[in-house]
Amino acid sequence: MTNPRPITQQELDEIRESVREAVRRTTIAGTPQSRLEKRLRKKKGYGMDHFKAGELLEKLQFSPRPKLSDPEPKDILAKAAERDDTRFYIKLGKVLARKPVKRTAGISMTPPRSLDQFLIGCWMEPYENIPALYNLSEDGLADVCSHYLTSEVSVDMVVALRKRLGLKPFRRSKIHVILLEGNLKLL
């Protein structure tokens, strides 16, 4: 049996981009993005750019080595400069000067409340003793979701949701996880 080929940078970038797209498509803070944009337009001088700037600051708090050269942060920084948002740059300086906050869950510090939050939050990031979810087999993914969300999740449900969210899995050599007596075992 030959050793499986490791994941390439291009494959990793495609998986990472699928997570970004899933985050864009899903709800933001419990509000569908279109409704949020309408509410933000009603507030004078506060728009989606301000909201995205706040999201960037939140993400940077958890990043051990923040990359401001990525396309998304570059756009946010440029738009903040266009609107002379000095408050944003002051907050950015404070966030970058601090040590990163230790991450306990996927995207946020709160435990995931729903299956789609769990999938998006942990797709690229390891969660507790489980590797990033894109590495797991479909059965293992269902077992992990059932274990952490404390509700029964079928393989079909997880696969359908993963496809709906647009999350790309790693195609070769999956990690198998099984749920034995309430504990997850990596195979």
Side-chain angles (χ1 to χ4, degrees), residues 59-82:
K59 287 177 189 175
L60 290 175
Q61 287 179 337
F62 301 109
S63 178
R65 292 189 198 117
K67 282 192 173 184
L68 298 175
S69 61
D70 287 343
E72 188 177 14
K74 270 186 176 178
D75 291 342
I76 293 169
L77 293 171
K79 288 178 182 177
E82 286 173 12

Side-chain angles (χ1 to χ4, degrees), residues 130-153:
I130 300 299
L133 298 180
Y134 73 87
N135 285 312
L136 302 181
S137 65
E138 292 175 350
D139 293 330
L141 185 58
D143 285 341
V144 167
C145 292
S146 294
H147 178 73
Y148 285 108
L149 297 174
T150 62
S151 61
E152 194 59 38
V153 178

